[in-house]
Amino acid sequence: MSASNLPAQPDGARERIGVYVCHCGSNIAATVDVEAVRDWSAEHLGDRGVVVARDYKFMCASTGQELIEQDIKELGLTRVVVAACSPHMHEKTFRGACRRAGLNPYLCELVSIREQDSWVHTDRTAATAKAEAIVAGGVYRVAHSEALEPFRVPIDPATLVVGGGIAGISAALEIADAGFPVHLVEREPSIGGHMAQFDKTFPTLDCAACILTPRMVTAGMHQNITLHTWSEVTDVAGYVGNFTVTIKHRARYVDTALCTGCGICQEKCPSKVVDTRYEAGLGYRKGVYTPFPQAVPKYPVIDVENCIYFEKGTCGACKKLCPTGAIDFDQKDEEVTVKVGNIIIATGFELFDARRVEQYGYGRMPNVFTSLEFERMSNAAGPTAGRIVLRDGVTEPKAVGIVHCVGSRDRNYNNYCSAICCMQSLKFAHLVREHTDATVYEFYIDIRAPGKAFDEFYQRVMEEGSVFVRGRVAAISDTVRLPDEEAHQGRLIVSVEDTLAGVQRRIPVDMVILSSGLEPATDAQEVARRFGITCSADGWVIERHPKLDPVATMTEGVFAAGCALGPRDIPASVANGAAAAARVLARIQEGELALEPIRATVDQERCSGCRICNDLCPYSAIVYHGWEQVSEVNPALCQGCGVCIAACPAGAISGSGFSDVQILSQIDGLLTALGGAPPGPAVEEREAVPA
Amino acid sequence: MSATFLYYPGCSMDGSARAYASSLEVVCRVLGIDLHEIDDWNCCGASEYVSLSQAKAHALVGRNLALAEQQRNGSSTLVAPCSLCYVNLAKTDHYMRKDRGLAASVNAALEAGGLAYTPGAVKVRHLFEVIVEEIGLDAVHAAVTRPLAGLTVAPYLGCLVTRPDYDGRWASKEHPVAFDRLLASLGAEVVDFPLRTDCCGGHMTQISPDTGFELIRRLVDAADRLGADMLVTLCPMCQMNVDAYQGEMNRHFHTHHHMPILFFTQLMGLAFGATASELGFGSEVVSARHALGRIGIEVPVAEPPPDATDGPPVRPRREKKPQGLPMPVMPDETEAVR
Amino acid sequence: MPGSGQADPPSVREGDFLREVIAATAGDSRLGCCIQCGTCGGSCPSAADMDHTPRMLFAMIRAGLRGEVLRSTTPWMCVSCYFCAVRCPQEVHIPDVMYAVKAIATREGVMPDSTAPDFSRTFVSNIHRYGRSYEVGLAAKHYIRHYPLRLPGMAPMGIAMVTKGRMGFAPHRIRGVAGLRAILARAEELERDGATREVPA
Ligand SMILES: Cc1cc2nc3c(=O)[nH]c(=O)nc-3n(C[C@H](O)[C@H](O)[C@H](O)COP(=O)(O)OP(=O)(O)OC[C@H]3O[C@@H](n4cnc5c(N)ncnc54)[C@H](O)[C@@H]3O)c2cc1C
Ligand code: SF4
Ligand code: SF4
Ligand code: SF4
Ligand code: SF4
């Protein structure tokens, strides 16, 4: 097919197209002959409507944008093609320039000659020819572009925050303080997250409870915050500005209207179990419990799996002894539905399961502890009342080994650095030295202490006399191997190469603390699916842009904060929470939101109701109307990815901004420029042919 | 019930490990295992050939794999009773699968002997894995007629069964419990042997005896401390090192260990009711007479019985920790054999 | 360093030797990804007898210290226990690298001061002769040659091995020994021609 086969543009309304080729400094110009592309476009694309072609060093600079604006006004351009970087980078920029000059922004096409050309080729001649073809594709396509208007959706002023750790609490407080309602959902009986388990926090060693409790209490009493603890989100429907969220309140078996939080039930409950959650397995709790005394809310829950009444139908001590009669064994799980405009995911992290590194013997050797166990042990309110002791509960250790990078920076487990554990290990060294006379060894690969006052803390710990051994621990054993270890029978022996001395060492200690890495919550992928967001293979929520949009997700109206995004410390989690809140508040203030009009639409006449598209949509944007047997795209959820369009066997779905005719024209442009005549009928005829 | 496998015995089986070979025969008879020995197999090269020339080392093993492929009959599982043979066979197959250049050059060499090997054509397994997984502990347990009650054993796997584990079959590479379970199914008392996958010294007894003796000492010392009557192994090299060099090791360190080391098949045979002499008992250098005598099993005399004062020292068992902080909750230990 | 008389600038030598070792290792050794954490050196049951820990050896390979590496006892002391391999956080195929270094050293006749290379050679010559190995006889031979002082102590063991029928007097010779030799000869040729494996770029 030659160029003449293409649908002629409406007579008299022939488009006037401007082509702008960017050098991107030398990013493009070093590999692509930019001037040649400019001249070629002017010469060969004139019959396709190109009336002007220019090149410029940085099209995205304000001077570059002004070139376009000027041409639109002076030459009466009706279409613009910019050949530069990926649309991810600057599509908005150039569309903005068009809008300022009075041209509908969707009549501007950005084609990539950097990511798809200059960066991936070395042959200048071939790269230049490819750039010409890419420009031609853009020119052919833009002629079929339509002027589009963004969708406007109203924003519900309420916000859902999922996860009541420090990140979630911070976000909730910011929004609530600004005067807007927040639903804070936490699956444990109390908010607080991991921070509630700590004694001191690095690097300043503030008492965790002292700084966290006031925030928890404020959140609990805030008139704009509705707490949903012991709860989980089970369903999310709708779209940005208009989400409908179903929250399941698990039965507490305690009537919160009557309970005063006196604690008598906990005191009297005869069922005592190891608390693997809050006490990290180092302490006990009762069958009816609040995880810790400062819990918010203060109401206990009954753990039915460990309650004698639920197991055998007897006991009922709590019910008999509760002074207000608040215990209610007949309570049922309840579901509530709330409407929110935005969502913040702050589901935090879980500690890497140290049993997986079997050579460290956690679970086999009693005096190997995890970092969270040690946090509880060093906590004055913890199971040992802050005494640093071995598993026997009485003996103070004479030597303690702290093992870095457990399950992190290791291709056998997690390949990433967990970021906080070096500092946490240093904190532990300080705490051990503070409470005991023990020798402390830090076994590390690298000390990663890049935060404010972090390295100074490292130096302080060295000054306090902790011993630093640079070497990743190979194994921990409780078995004497060398004859001269006889004296250390019954202790733990840490095998390590002291890499700075270049020798293998076997260091006897009494206690080992494993600085386990951070992992996403076990149900992270499931949560992500429910909220329509994506996680990396590791399970951390993916940011919309890792640098420039670090608390937004790919889904409009869903933000993330804290360790849900990846390992980070408390200050960063708090900052994230505030940042996500700021983004949400800006939306609420605007009252409505403009959405990209690049959307798919289903032609209801053509739709056969096969439902193939329904499950393919990655954003769950397609609804099926059973009674009419047709599918429909919810424009507020659709992100314009095009999957459904390609999949529809009836060819019933088309996309504004990427119609078949646009895409086929672009292909024709590419092929024509490359000298190959594309086979097959003209675009107009093919348009109706299903993909 | 009958299970057929290709079989690569390895050089030790008709040398230092005859007891392994004869007891394996008994075990196969009882469990209905049919082992087809590869005709005219050659040495696997131990850990030596690969030190001199990688190409030749892989070609050497390649010949065995090629013969095994040729002689496949019903089963393509190639069973090796020696850990070193097992790893060498598995390694060449693994790298031929991973590295096309290597596969091509091994085959180019094999061509000179009129042979060829298709990477992946045989599945190399250790005898022990096959017994635990293909035959199963239930079948083993069902065949027991004389439970080994009263015998305390330390399960010793050595290095190579669970490491490097090219096909990722072992979830636990350092503290696997499959061997414990097998021995327990024979009725023996099994100690939790922390050095179960430590090194026996390998060729160190040759090239650096001091190192080798130290590695042996650790094993017997730990087994002694746990009150084990004997170590139980599944590798001729481990057996040879710990058994034959134990005397010299004792002299070297001025110690008096007397820790017999036997093949797991010998204990299986005993539990299945075979006689001690059928199973090659008595051929061990460090005699198991004393230990087996205690459970009423007579071992033929081939050397003067060990001096009474030389008998195994009685050591206290490891005590359970008294009450204190709770131990971490472990996953269900009865799950999965590994 | 101008005028220092140094042969190659270190930068040239460094990468070259690392590449050479990687190319001599079967499969993907991942040696270039070592983070020098020392897990291998801490795990190694033979570390005490090595002149450099495995980790150190890898640093030396990277630094291009070819001579020192090839003369090192480290690879010869490796017992192939694979503890390092399963624990290495970078999945470096450490024992395979050890084999590769030994093979290069053997080819060039640069041997450390150790009886290990000799043991390997004796072992291998047995295979060439019989197609099988002759473990106990070999051990005896090696002890006579290298640790004669230990022999009196070892005698009871030797006697026991013989009386208990665990020591054959000559190994069994396989039928296909000629074919085996042809295969090994061809492998040697191929290796000499450098066609053993595709060298990654
Ligand atoms: C041993 C240790 C010591 C540390 N010490 C320090 C320190 O000294 N200083 C410092 O700055 N940082 C420290 N940190 C890091 C600190 O813990 C984190 O930065 C912080 O806890 C992150 O807060 P978060 O709210 O993002 O996550 P989290 O604290 O994990 O909170 C997440 C919350 O979400 C809830 N949740 C999860 N999934 C769901 C769901 N599906 N539905 C509802 N709720 C859900 C969880 O129950 C939890 O309450 C330490 C970390 C560890 C492991
Ligand atoms: S009924 Fe259950 S929760 Fe209440 S006291 Fe008894 S065991 Fe505890
Ligand atoms: S922060 Fe430190 S201890 Fe934690 S994974 Fe990173 S390097 Fe290892
Ligand atoms: S364990 Fe692996 S990464 Fe660490 S020093 Fe050894 S080879 Fe390098
Ligand atoms: S395989 Fe070799 S280098 Fe690695 S730990 Fe074992 S003996 Fe040491």
Side-chain angles (χ1 to χ4, degrees):
Chain A
M1 181 180 66
S2 71
S4 58
N5 283 21
L6 276 164
Q9 284 145 10
D11 255 344
R14 193 179 157 81
E15 300 301 345
R16 298 176 59 78
I17 304 175
V19 169
Y20 301 87
V21 189
C22 183
H23 294 235
C24 195
S26 61
N27 271 304
I28 295 171
T31 320
V32 170
D33 184 343
V34 174
E35 284 89 359
V37 175
R38 175 200 63 200
D39 293 344
W40 184 90
S41 306
E43 197 179 317
H44 291 88
L45 298 172
D47 60 336
R48 308 298 309 178
V50 171
V51 293
V52 59
R54 299 185 196 279
D55 67 299
Y56 192 70
K57 211 146 186 74
F58 291 104
M59 281 305 301
C60 60
S62 56
T63 39
Q65 296 185 48
E66 278 159 18
L67 277 180
I68 302 178
E69 289 173 49
Q70 210 173 338
D71 284 353
I72 294 175
K73 287 185 194 139
E74 289 174 7
L75 303 177
L77 297 184
T78 60
R79 297 284 193 273
V80 168
V81 172
V82 184
C85 50
S86 148
H88 259 298
M89 292 294 302
H90 278 306
E91 192 172 69
K92 277 209 171 93
T93 314
F94 298 118
R95 286 190 168 163
C98 292
R99 187 179 344 98
R100 283 195 298 278
L103 184 66
N104 183 291
Y106 297 93
L107 299 176
C108 168
E109 191 70 31
L110 175 54
V111 293
S112 167
I113 57 168
R114 191 179 73 175
E115 285 81 352
Q116 294 183 351
D117 191 2
S118 69
W119 277 359
V120 291
H121 296 297
T122 47
D123 180 335
R124 193 171 163 85
T125 316
T128 303
K130 181 170 174 181
E132 289 164 1
I134 291 173
V135 171
V139 168
Y140 277 49
R141 174 185 176 131
V142 80
H144 297 278
S145 295
E146 290 165 43
L148 299 173
E149 289 303 327
F151 291 98
R152 306 209 159 265
V153 292
I155 301 281
D156 190 302
T159 304
L160 172 75
V161 177
V162 188
I166 188 61
I169 293 174
S170 305
L173 284 175
E174 295 283 346
I175 296 169
D177 284 346
F180 299 102
V182 176
H183 293 277
L184 178 54
V185 178
E186 166 59 56
R187 71 161 146 229
E188 297 294 320
S190 169
I191 57 171
H194 283 97
M195 191 176 167
Q197 294 173 281
F198 308 158
D199 183 38
K200 300 270 170 58
T201 53
F202 65 72
T204 44
L205 299 172
D206 334 52
C207 147
C210 312
I211 56 180
L212 176 65
T213 312
R215 294 247 167 164
M216 288 166 56
V217 172
T218 316
M221 300 196 315
H222 207 293
Q223 56 174 5
N224 288 334
I225 297 180
T226 313
L227 282 190
H228 304 261
T229 51
W230 204 233
S231 298
E232 261 169 87
V233 172
T234 50
D235 189 49
V236 182
Y239 47 88
V240 54
N242 295 284
F243 292 107
T244 306
V245 179
T246 312
I247 302 168
K248 183 170 105 183
H249 292 178
R250 291 164 64 192
R252 284 184 116 90
Y253 304 104
V254 172
D255 185 343
T256 52
L258 297 175
C259 176
T260 59
C262 71
I264 288 178
C265 54
Q266 304 195 49
E267 201 180 298
K268 301 296 180 193
C269 172
S271 167
K272 187 175 159 191
V273 287
V274 175
D275 180 357
T276 53
R277 197 77 212 176
Y278 180 71
E279 296 292 6
L282 202 71
Y284 301 87
R285 63 163 168 78
K286 293 297 188 64
V288 53
Y289 71 104
T290 46
F292 50 103
Q294 308 89 331
V296 172
K298 62 192 171 193
Y299 318 118
V301 298
I302 291 180
D303 162 15
V304 292
E305 274 160 34
N306 291 295
C307 165
I308 299 164
Y309 175 83
F310 280 96
E311 243 172 274
K312 304 199 183 114
T314 58
C315 183
C318 49
K319 192 176 173 80
K320 281 175 220 140
L321 296 166
C322 175
T324 62
I327 303 283
D328 174 6
F329 292 135
D330 299 325
Q331 245 182 28
K332 294 271 170 303
D333 292 354
E334 264 173 35
E335 290 207 331
V336 297
T337 316
V338 298
K339 291 230 168 242
V340 296
N342 291 283
I343 296 172
I344 298 174
I345 306 287
T347 46
F349 68 93
E350 269 166 35
L351 202 67
F352 170 81
D353 181 357
R355 290 175 307 205
R356 292 173 61 196
V357 190
E358 47 175 346
Q359 62 266 34
Y360 292 168
Y362 180 66
R364 251 186 314 119
M365 294 181 269
N367 293 321
V368 178
F369 294 84
T370 63
S371 49
L372 274 181
E373 280 183 305
F374 183 80
E375 288 286 358
R376 294 310 300 149
M377 185 186 285
S378 63
N379 194 312
T384 63
R387 282 177 310 121
I388 311 289
V389 287
L390 302 185
R391 192 79 65 175
D392 64 6
V394 288
T395 317
E396 205 172 86
K398 294 197 178 52
V400 177
I402 302 174
V403 181
H404 288 225
C405 303
V406 177
S408 308
R409 301 182 66 192
D410 186 337
R411 292 169 61 88
N412 299 300
Y413 310 101
N414 294 314
N415 213 353
Y416 52 80
C417 165
S418 290
I420 59 99
C421 18
C422 272
M423 285 305 293
Q424 161 252 296
S425 300
L426 294 169
K427 172 176 82 175
F428 287 4
H430 169 84
L431 292 176
V432 174
R433 299 284 301 163
E434 190 177 72
H435 292 281
T436 72
D437 294 329
T439 309
V440 179
Y441 297 93
E442 291 268 359
F443 300 103
Y444 68 100
I445 312 177
D446 303 287
I447 296 284
R448 298 195 164 167
K452 189 173 178 182
F454 282 15
D455 208 70
E456 293 88 326
F457 186 72
Y458 171 26
Q459 292 171 37
R460 170 175 171 189
V461 171
M462 277 197 270
E463 282 161 10
E464 287 168 356
S466 291
V467 184
F468 286 76
V469 179
R470 190 199 173 276
R472 184 171 169 273
V473 169
I476 295 158
S477 108
D478 57 357
T479 310
V480 160
R481 279 188 171 71
L482 299 178
D484 59 5
E485 285 166 4
E486 202 63 42
H488 303 297
Q489 184 75 40
R491 302 179 81 192
L492 296 171
I493 293 173
V494 178
S495 318
V496 64
E497 175 178 359
D498 186 325
T499 61
L500 301 181
V503 292
Q504 188 182 72
R505 292 176 67 185
R506 293 173 53 80
I507 299 176
V509 296
D510 305 297
M511 172 191 266
V512 166
I513 307 165
L514 302 178
S515 295
S516 292
L518 272 47
E519 284 188 339
T522 31
D523 59 350
Q525 299 282 7
E526 206 180 298
V527 168
R529 244 191 323 279
R530 188 164 306 140
F531 290 94
I533 58 178
T534 41
C535 289
S536 64
D538 294 325
W540 305 110
V541 172
I542 297 181
E543 306 87 346
R544 174 160 283 215
H545 191 287
K547 291 144 203 158
L548 301 178
D549 212 353
V551 295
T553 69
M554 292 290 187
T555 302
E556 287 290 347
V558 182
F559 300 86
C563 288
L565 287 160
R568 60 202 58 199
D569 58 10
I570 294 166
S573 302
V574 171
N576 281 171
R583 296 291 307 274
V584 168
L585 286 171
R587 297 240 161 127
I588 298 173
Q589 298 286 11
E590 256 177 80
E592 62 170 24
L593 181 75
L595 294 182
E596 277 280 296
I598 307 292
R599 291 290 182 269
T601 41
V602 179
D603 180 343
Q604 313 253 313
E605 298 289 290
R606 281 204 199 162
C607 173
S608 69
C610 72
R611 308 193 62 178
I612 285 181
C613 57
N614 294 197
D615 290 337
L616 285 175
C617 175
Y619 304 95
S620 311
I622 306 182
V623 286
Y624 180 68
H625 301 303
W627 65 98
E628 288 164 302
Q629 304 202 338
V630 287
S631 296
E632 188 181 358
V633 176
N634 178 338
L637 283 180
C638 172
Q639 304 286 314
C641 73
V643 165
C644 57
I645 301 174
C648 177
I653 313 182
S654 64
S656 47
F658 54 109
S659 61
D660 286 355
V661 64
Q662 277 176 298
I663 288 166
L664 293 169
S665 304
Q666 184 169 21
I667 295 171
D668 286 344
L670 281 163
L671 295 177
T672 311
L674 289 172
V683 169
E684 300 287 64
E685 291 159 41
R686 277 181 279 153
E687 196 189 358
V689 179
Chain B
M1 178 196 62
S2 157
T4 307
F5 304 104
L6 292 160
Y7 179 54
Y8 174 88
C11 302
S12 326
M13 288 306 259
D14 60 0
S16 64
R18 282 196 190 136
Y20 197 1
S22 52
S23 56
L24 176 57
E25 234 167 75
V26 172
V27 168
C28 286
R29 199 172 60 226
V30 175
L31 295 179
I33 305 174
D34 203 354
L35 296 178
H36 284 264
E37 179 169 339
I38 299 169
D39 183 44
D40 210 37
W41 54 271
N42 55 263
C43 174
C44 73
S47 37
E48 306 313 318
Y49 220 132
V50 71
S51 311
L52 301 183
S53 158
Q54 306 248 1
K56 285 159 82 179
H58 288 301
L60 184 77
V61 176
R63 180 174 178 274
N64 291 321
L65 292 172
L67 291 176
E69 183 180 355
Q70 248 177 25
Q71 297 169 27
R72 273 185 306 189
N73 57 344
S75 170
S76 58
T77 300
L78 175 60
V79 173
C82 164
S83 302
L84 196 48
C85 300
Y86 157 68
V87 155
N88 278 337
L89 292 164
K91 182 195 284 166
T92 297
D93 179 54
H94 172 79
Y95 282 128
M96 283 180 76
R97 274 184 282 148
K98 291 272 159 179
D99 186 337
R100 285 218 221 129
L102 182 79
S105 75
V106 170
N107 270 320
L110 290 177
E111 208 190 329
L115 291 169
Y117 177 64
T118 324
V122 298
K123 310 260 167 303
V124 185
R125 309 285 300 267
H126 191 284
L127 169 70
F128 164 68
E129 286 185 310
V130 163
I131 291 185
V132 179
E133 293 195 344
E134 306 296 323
I135 308 299
L137 295 189
D138 292 342
V140 171
H141 186 67
V144 172
T145 56
R146 178 171 55 193
L148 305 178
L151 194 65
T152 307
V153 299
Y156 175 55
L157 288 102
C159 307
L160 301 173
V161 175
T162 57
R163 292 185 308 267
D165 186 24
Y166 291 114
D167 292 326
R169 287 195 292 258
W170 292 84
S172 174
K173 294 180 168 48
E174 305 201 12
H175 291 273
V177 293
F179 202 26
D180 304 44
R181 299 236 170 104
L182 175 68
L183 296 173
S185 75
L186 305 178
E189 192 192 322
V190 185
V191 301
D192 182 8
F193 189 50
L195 277 65
R196 70 187 70 191
T197 63
D198 268 28
C199 176
C200 70
H203 63 185
M204 283 295 147
T205 43
Q206 303 302 314
I207 65 181
S208 176
D210 293 7
T211 313
F213 294 160
E214 169 51 36
L215 296 174
I216 294 168
R217 194 199 57 77
R218 290 176 193 179
L219 297 173
V220 295
D221 185 63
D224 253 350
R225 280 172 202 276
L226 291 168
D229 296 326
M230 57 179 63
L231 284 159
V232 184
T233 182
L234 39 66
C235 170
M237 186 168 65
C238 298
Q239 202 281 338
M240 168 90 173
N241 272 338
V242 178
D243 188 26
Y245 293 91
Q246 198 174 121
E248 181 62 6
M249 181 280 288
N250 272 326
R251 261 179 291 276
H252 184 81
F253 291 108
H254 309 290
T255 49
H256 301 279
H257 292 289
H258 181 97
M259 181 55 62
I261 175 163
L262 298 168
F263 292 105
F264 75 111
T265 45
Q266 290 180 282
L267 292 197
M268 288 175 80
L270 272 188
F272 295 166
T275 65
S277 52
E278 253 182 298
L279 298 165
F281 281 99
S283 69
E284 67 281 358
V285 176
V286 179
S287 172
R289 243 178 147 254
H290 187 85
L292 292 175
R294 286 206 289 123
I295 62 162
I297 289 164
E298 186 84 32
V299 172
V301 190
E303 61 156 0
D307 200 326
T309 55
D310 240 20
V314 183
R315 300 270 186 167
R317 300 279 156 87
R318 276 211 286 200
E319 283 172 31
K320 286 264 177 288
K321 284 275 165 197
Q323 278 235 315
L325 298 166
M327 270 295 279
V329 186
M330 295 302 281
D332 185 3
E333 288 182 340
T334 56
E335 258 173 40
V337 189
R338 289 158 172 185
Chain C
M1 234 179 275
S4 70
Q6 218 167 349
D8 323 320
S11 57
V12 174
R13 288 185 295 139
E14 281 163 21
D16 283 356
F17 186 43
L18 175 63
R19 267 197 296 279
E20 180 184 352
V21 174
I22 290 175
T25 314
D28 178 5
S29 67
R30 297 188 47 82
L31 182 56
C33 304
C34 167
I35 57 166
Q36 290 289 302
C37 68
T39 307
C40 46
S43 301
C44 187
S46 307
D49 298 279
M50 296 172 162
D51 51 5
H52 307 291
T53 60
R55 171 201 59 84
M56 182 73 104
L57 195 79
F58 305 151
M60 290 162 65
I61 292 174
R62 269 198 221 170
L65 305 177
R66 196 171 189 280
E68 286 90 325
V69 169
L70 295 185
R71 278 191 302 276
S72 165
T73 57
T74 299
W76 298 94
M77 290 294 141
C78 167
V79 292
S80 306
C81 69
Y82 285 87
F83 267 120
C84 55
V86 298
R87 290 176 183 168
C88 171
Q90 289 290 352
E91 295 177 341
V92 176
H93 295 184
I94 299 163
D96 290 330
V97 172
M98 297 294 181
Y99 297 137
V101 171
K102 284 192 274 191
I104 298 175
T106 307
R107 202 166 52 231
E108 306 203 353
V110 216
M111 294 298 179
D113 183 17
S114 153
T115 75
D118 183 55
F119 183 69
S120 298
R121 273 193 302 258
T122 324
F123 193 96
V124 162
S125 73
N126 248 301
I127 299 180
H128 277 254
R129 195 160 329 141
Y130 302 108
R132 295 269 168 96
S133 77
Y134 176 37
E135 8 145 46
V136 186
L138 199 73
K141 201 164 153 189
H142 194 74
Y143 266 66
I144 293 174
R145 206 178 304 166
H146 296 285
Y147 318 111
L149 291 180
R150 286 209 183 274
L151 274 178
M154 298 291 282
M157 174 283 244
I159 294 166
M161 295 299 278
V162 175
T163 56
K164 288 163 184 284
R166 292 178 62 178
M167 188 157 150
F169 282 95
H172 171 88
R173 187 192 295 264
I174 65 169
R175 291 196 312 282
V177 78
L180 175 63
R181 284 180 202 155
I183 290 171
L184 295 174
R186 174 76 61 84
E188 188 169 336
E189 249 167 62
L190 288 167
E191 188 166 51
R192 239 195 341 265
D193 301 346
T196 321
R197 64 188 298 272
E198 286 156 25
V199 178

